[in-house]
Amino acid sequence: MRAHPGNFPPDRAVLRDGTYYYYAWAAAHAFPALDARDIQTSAGRASWAQMLAREVLERQRKGGEWVNRFTASREDDPLIATPLAASTLVICRQMLDPPKTEKLTR
């Protein structure tokens, strides 16, 4: 989950990296909607949430924000990239450690 997996014509290839945080956010919403916990990788089955969270966290800056050096989707602005990254991590966390619900009794 290092890069947007879509097919891009050569003249639009910069969009692969320029839309990374949007791609991560969309994937984090799509996998739970599909009730998918694992995905098939070249190394075997793996937790998509763990892989995606690790990749997003590796991109975080020392100041806590996220930015993308590509400007195509304005992900070079931390006010765009950071909410997408943070939202992605929230969903990954929920998938990895689902909230416990207490059974209400009378």
Side-chain angles (χ1 to χ4, degrees):
M1 302 196 133
R2 290 192 177 283
H4 190 301
N7 294 322
F8 294 88
D11 63 327
R12 310 274 295 160
V14 70
L15 293 177
R16 178 178 312 281
D17 293 319
T19 57
Y20 180 76
Y21 294 109
Y22 176 74
Y23 155 71
W25 177 86
H29 281 82
F31 285 123
L34 295 170
D35 200 27
R37 294 210 170 260
D38 296 327
I39 57 173
Q40 186 64 42
T41 71
S42 59
R45 295 207 59 80
S47 165
W48 67 263
Q50 197 169 46
M51 291 172 53
L52 185 56
R54 185 178 311 121
E55 186 62 35
V56 169
L57 286 170
E58 285 178 7
R59 294 170 183 245
Q60 187 176 23
R61 296 240 171 134
K62 289 183 182 188
E65 74 280 0
W66 282 267
V67 295
N68 192 335
R69 65 187 178 100
F70 298 96
T71 61
S73 296
R74 296 198 35 155
E75 290 188 0
D76 59 317
D77 183 342
L79 294 175
I80 303 296
T82 299
L84 290 169
S87 178
T88 298
L89 291 174
V90 166
I91 295 167
C92 290
R93 171 65 184 233
Q94 290 171 340
M95 293 302 295
L96 294 169
D97 187 21
K100 312 291 187 279
T101 57
E102 295 181 27
K103 187 175 183 179
L104 297 176
T105 59
R106 292 188 156 193

